[in-house]
């Protein structure tokens, strides 16, 4: 009987539920998600445009920030439009290939972004602890290598997870109780043992994000020690404000991600499923929305550059309008 009930096959499509238990509130839930996604798109595009346009911002810290901005744009765009399609139009079907592609891209971008945050922590460490060698150590070629290493590492970590899903035989149940495809959500639909998937997923997260968190913590431990040794209170304040933005982004990135990851695997029934899914949905849109705000508001150079760029555009527009008026009078 067990063999009859669990006929193995590879489904043509999966069904994404959205947020289980909150289906009747999907329309209302979609409104803040749509707003956050639009803010994330606009904020990151403006920040990226500012860094690319302004030559004075072509420095190591801002090059890392531009890479983080691209990762935020990709991460939110990989997941949120599909989420909104479920909430608004009940488009729940997703093909097997598209589901695996979304899973791969989501995990790949997330782990790559973690590597970029490590690069940003290293940048702050060199700038504060070894400022005389900052320019010689963090050249443009070194920065590109660090970013390339983050991308290659992420690809090598996520690719085996894709093949682990492809090797599985799936049951007739096609329903994924989530708003987007992720590794364990898909693996749990299999008829065969997913022990390898569970072990690999846990090991990959702990050895990638875990090591990243340790490296960031060590960097900031050394940074804090160096900051408190500075003779001037003004210099200490300036150094702390420079690092404050990065620390906020780190907390926004890792805290909800680790909470969601560990409660999803070890929380059991103590936390309702819809809380898991809602938090998983939030951490792909909230950090991308807040990162440009944190850097734009707290970074004086970006703030001034944005003000100058938009003032120049508005003054050019006013000048053209006045020229049109004069020519029409003539």
């Amino acid at each position: 009987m067990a063999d009859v009930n669990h006929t193995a096959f590879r489904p043509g499509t999966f069904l994404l539920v959205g947020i289980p238990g909150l289906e009747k509130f999907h329309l209302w839930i979609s409104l803040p998600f749509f707003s956050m996604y639009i803010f994330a798109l606009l904020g990151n595009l403006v920040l990226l445009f500012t860094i690319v346009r302004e030559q004075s911002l072509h420095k190591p810290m801002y090059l890392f920030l531009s890479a983080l901005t691209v990762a935020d744009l990709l991460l939110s765009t990989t997941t949120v439009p599909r989420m909104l399609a479920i909430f608004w139009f009940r488009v729940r079907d997703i093909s097997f290939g598209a589901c695996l592609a979304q899973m791969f891209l989501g995990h790949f971008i997330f782990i790559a972004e973690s590597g970029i945050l490590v690069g940003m922590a290293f940048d702050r460490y060199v700038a504060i602890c070894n400022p005389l060698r900052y320019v010689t150590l963090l050249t443009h070629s070194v920065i590109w290598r660090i970013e390339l290493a983050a991308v290659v590492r992420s690809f090598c970590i996520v690719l085996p997870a894709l093949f682990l899903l492809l090797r599985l035989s799936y049951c007739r149940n096609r329903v994924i109780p989530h708003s987007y495809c992720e590794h364990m959500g898909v693996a749990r639909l299999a008829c065969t043992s997913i022990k390898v998937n569970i072990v690999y997923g846990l090991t990959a997260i702990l050895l990638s994000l875990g090591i990243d968190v340790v490296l960031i913590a060590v960097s900031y431990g050394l940074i804090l020690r160096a900051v408190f040794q500075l003779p001037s209170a003004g210099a200490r304040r300036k150094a702390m404000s420079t690092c404050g933005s990065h620390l906020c982004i780190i907390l926004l990135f890792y805290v909800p991600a680790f909470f969601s990851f560990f409660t999803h695997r070890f929380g059991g029934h103590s936390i309702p499923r819809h809380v898991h899914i809602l938090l998983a949905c939030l951490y792909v849109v909230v950090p991308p929305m807040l990162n440009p705000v944190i850097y734009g508001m707290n970074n004086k150079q970006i703030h001034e550059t944005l003000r100058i760029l938009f003032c120049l555009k508005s003054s050019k527009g006013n000048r053209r309008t006045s020229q049109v008026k004069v020519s029409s009078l003539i």
Side-chain angles (χ1 to χ4, degrees):
M1 282 298 292
D3 294 334
V4 175
N5 292 333
H6 299 288
T7 306
F9 82 120
R10 181 172 292 178
T13 59
F14 289 121
L15 291 176
L16 292 167
V17 171
I19 301 176
L22 298 179
E23 287 88 350
K24 61 181 178 180
F25 301 111
H26 274 177
L27 185 60
W28 296 106
I29 293 170
S30 70
L31 298 179
F33 274 96
F34 175 70
S35 302
M36 288 187 288
Y37 179 58
I38 294 299
F39 278 119
L41 283 182
L42 291 176
N44 283 288
L45 286 172
V46 168
L47 186 58
L48 186 62
F49 171 78
T50 304
I51 295 171
V52 172
R53 175 78 181 269
E54 185 57 37
Q55 193 69 29
S56 63
L57 296 179
H58 293 181
K59 296 175 182 176
M61 183 175 76
Y62 301 107
L63 293 177
F64 280 121
L65 182 56
S66 63
L68 184 72
T69 301
V70 172
D72 281 340
L73 284 168
L74 293 175
L75 181 63
S76 56
T77 303
T78 300
T79 52
V80 179
R82 164 61 66 172
M83 206 185 302
L84 293 175
I86 296 170
F87 294 160
W88 287 344
F89 311 113
R90 298 183 180 179
V91 181
R92 296 176 178 176
D93 289 62
I94 183 170
S95 69
F96 182 78
C99 186
L100 292 191
Q102 188 185 51
M103 181 280 298
F104 177 84
L105 288 172
H107 292 322
F108 166 72
I109 296 163
F110 187 80
I111 294 174
E113 189 165 347
S114 179
I116 293 167
L117 289 174
V118 174
M120 294 176 77
F122 178 66
D123 166 77
R124 292 299 84 206
Y125 165 74
V126 177
I128 292 171
C129 299
N130 204 347
L132 297 178
R133 298 187 62 195
Y134 182 70
V135 178
T136 56
L137 281 177
L138 285 172
T139 60
H140 283 199
S141 62
V142 170
I143 293 165
W144 292 126
R145 286 173 192 167
I146 292 172
E147 292 174 352
L148 180 63
V151 170
V152 171
R153 183 195 69 157
S154 180
F155 182 83
C156 293
I157 290 171
V158 179
L159 189 63
L162 184 66
F163 285 108
L164 287 175
L165 290 177
L166 287 170
R167 76 179 179 86
L168 295 174
S169 296
Y170 294 87
C171 303
R172 294 293 176 185
N173 179 22
R174 302 183 297 123
V175 179
I176 301 176
H178 210 304
S179 299
Y180 55 86
C181 295
E182 51 91 25
H183 178 232
M184 288 310 302
V186 177
R188 285 196 174 96
L189 300 181
C191 296
T192 49
S193 172
I194 60 168
K195 187 176 180 180
V196 176
N197 296 70
I198 295 171
V199 171
Y200 182 79
L202 186 62
T203 305
I205 289 294
L206 291 178
L207 291 182
S208 57
L209 301 190
I211 290 174
D212 290 350
V213 169
V214 170
L215 291 174
I216 290 170
V218 170
S219 296
Y220 270 92
L222 296 171
I223 287 169
L224 288 174
R225 188 182 69 174
V227 166
F228 289 123
Q229 289 175 352
L230 292 173
S232 167
R236 286 197 296 270
R237 195 160 46 248
K238 183 179 178 182
M240 288 303 295
S241 66
T242 305
C243 297
S245 301
H246 187 215
L247 280 173
C248 288
I249 287 173
I250 288 169
L251 291 173
L252 277 172
F253 182 82
Y254 286 111
V255 171
F258 275 115
F259 179 81
S260 178
F261 177 80
F262 285 112
T263 54
H264 191 60
R265 281 161 176 76
F266 308 114
H269 299 288
S270 59
I271 299 175
R273 176 179 282 180
H274 66 266
V275 175
H276 291 296
I277 305 304
L278 193 57
L279 188 61
C281 294
L282 284 172
Y283 79 65
V284 297
V285 69
V286 172
M289 177 190 68
L290 292 180
N291 287 351
V293 176
I294 292 169
Y295 263 100
M297 296 300 291
N298 291 345
N299 190 290
K300 189 179 290 184
Q301 193 168 357
I302 288 178
H303 197 267
E304 286 296 314
T305 303
L306 280 170
R307 190 179 63 81
I308 292 167
L309 283 174
F310 283 105
C311 284
L312 282 174
K313 284 191 174 183
S314 61
S315 64
K316 284 180 182 178
N318 292 335
R319 199 179 304 127
R320 286 197 191 108
T321 305
S322 62
Q323 286 173 356
V324 169
K325 287 181 179 179
V326 171
S327 61
S328 64
L329 289 172
I330 294 171

